[in-house]
Amino acid sequence: MSDSDALRAEIDALRAELDETNQGVLALYAELDNQAEQLRQASELKSRFLSYMSHEFRTPLGSILSMTRLLTDGLDGQLNVEQHKQVDFIAGAARELSDMVDDLLDLAKIEAGRITISPEWFELMDLFSALRGMFRPIVESSQTDLIFEEPRDMPRLYTDDKKLAQILRNYISNALKFTPRGEVRVSASLEGGDRVRFSVKDTGIGIPAELHDVLFDDFTQVDSPLQKRVRGTGLGLSLCRQFAHLLGGEVGMTSRIGKGSTFHVVLPLTLAVAEVADAGE
């Protein structure tokens, strides 16, 4: 065999090997595409299931809460002390379940890309006043003070006040749950001229250092004697992070065992129009 024939045979062998490799790569891509489609379908089914389940639970839970209000108001006769305790227990359990359902429904909407961002101009003091009124019944029956610091020189904000309120509600609710006695302090301050930092600081039990990096992940909960008495989905802080991202911001926390915790969210004073459009896609 001449040198040219040998070279041609070597080239043909390399070409055949390259063709075989290309076929393998194409098969791998096809398998990856197939797996990606299966994952997409599974994720869509999970989101649809969460949404359907949440909606189905809302109606009976609403009925239970309505009935407990009727019983508490004594429209069908006054309750004795023990009956009041039993009805209050039922109402409390129904509200906890309702909060869990709301978290699951929000998660389903976010994963399906169907969350709606509705920014508008508002005064921060109006938001703080609404939150103060919302938590007043809880604070009045506890040994923990809830303090809203008056924001100074704070301009009007343009963002989704309902999503912001939901973030702060989660922060405040957690702070109150894990602060048996002491105080929870809510504040807001300008940061960098175009952003605002909201902080919720408590004097509670604190959070172990090993949980700091995963606390905002789905279904993460603090393992403590208090947690065993406080039910939840472990989705609240995860939703806070996702809502903050939708509003162009970020979340974070610092904590020391026995010294309390501080959770914050930093948002732009004015939500960009592009971010609103992206959230709806």
Side-chain angles (χ1 to χ4, degrees), residues 5 17 33 44 60 66 70-71 91 97 110 144 204 224 263 269 279:
D5 291 337
E17 184 178 348
D33 286 342
E44 182 178 345
S66 296
L70 290 174
L71 291 170
L97 284 173
I110 290 174
T144 306
S224 76
F263 284 80
L269 286 170

Side-chain angles (χ1 to χ4, degrees), residues 154-155 189-196 267-270:
M154 186 68 64
S189 59
L190 286 174
E191 187 170 282
D194 61 348
R195 300 173 75 80
V196 57
L267 300 177
L269 286 170
T270 304

Side-chain angles (χ1 to χ4, degrees), residues 51-262:
S51 180
Y52 176 79
M53 181 194 70
S54 301
H55 281 296
E56 289 301 304
F57 272 127
R58 275 186 158 188
T59 300
L61 284 172
S63 298
I64 293 172
L65 288 170
S66 296
M67 290 300 296
T68 57
R69 282 193 294 270
L70 290 174
L71 291 170
T72 301
D73 292 341
L75 295 181
D76 293 322
Q78 293 300 316
L79 303 179
N80 60 39
V81 175
E82 184 58 32
Q83 288 172 331
H84 265 294
K85 289 181 180 179
Q86 294 170 357
V87 171
D88 288 343
F89 176 81
I90 295 171
R95 281 192 293 270
E96 287 180 0
L97 284 173
S98 182
D99 290 341
M100 294 181 193
V101 167
D102 287 341
D103 284 349
L104 289 171
L105 186 57
D106 284 335
L107 177 65
K109 287 180 179 178
I110 290 174
E111 290 189 346
R114 294 173 185 156
I115 200 74
T116 301
I117 301 298
S118 303
E120 59 182 31
W121 292 101
F122 65 94
E123 297 286 350
L124 189 53
M125 279 304 300
D126 294 337
L127 175 63
F128 277 11
S129 295
L131 289 170
R132 184 185 294 109
M134 182 181 304
F135 284 98
R136 183 175 292 117
I138 299 174
V139 175
E140 287 177 348
S141 60
S142 74
Q143 295 178 295
T144 306
D145 295 325
L146 177 58
I147 302 167
F148 286 84
E149 294 185 0
E150 182 176 352
R152 300 185 180 278
D153 302 321
M154 186 68 64
R156 298 173 71 202
L157 280 70
Y158 182 76
T159 189
D160 190 322
D161 59 332
K162 293 181 177 58
K163 299 294 186 297
L164 172 56
Q166 192 162 345
I167 294 172
L168 296 179
R169 280 204 310 271
N170 268 305
Y171 282 175
I172 296 170
S173 179
N174 285 340
L176 291 172
K177 287 176 183 177
F178 296 106
T179 307
R181 58 180 56 85
E183 70 172 37
V184 174
R185 187 173 293 269
V186 185
S187 62
S189 59
L190 286 174
E191 187 170 282
D194 61 348
R195 300 173 75 80
V196 57
R197 173 184 289 260
F198 295 90
S199 297
V200 176
K201 182 178 181 180
D202 66 62
T203 58
I205 62 175
I207 299 169
E210 61 269 20
L211 288 178
H212 289 188
D213 291 337
V214 300
L215 203 58
F216 287 93
D217 292 346
D218 290 349
F219 306 109
T220 299
Q221 293 182 317
V222 177
D223 185 15
S224 76
L226 281 178
Q227 178 63 56
K228 292 176 175 60
R229 293 189 280 110
V230 179
R231 292 184 292 271
T233 59
L235 287 173
L237 291 178
S238 172
L239 288 171
C240 287
R241 180 180 62 182
Q242 296 189 66
F243 283 147
H245 288 171
L246 290 172
L247 299 179
E250 57 188 20
V251 297
M253 57 80 63
T254 58
S255 182
R256 290 175 59 193
I257 290 293
K259 300 294 183 181
S261 307
T262 300

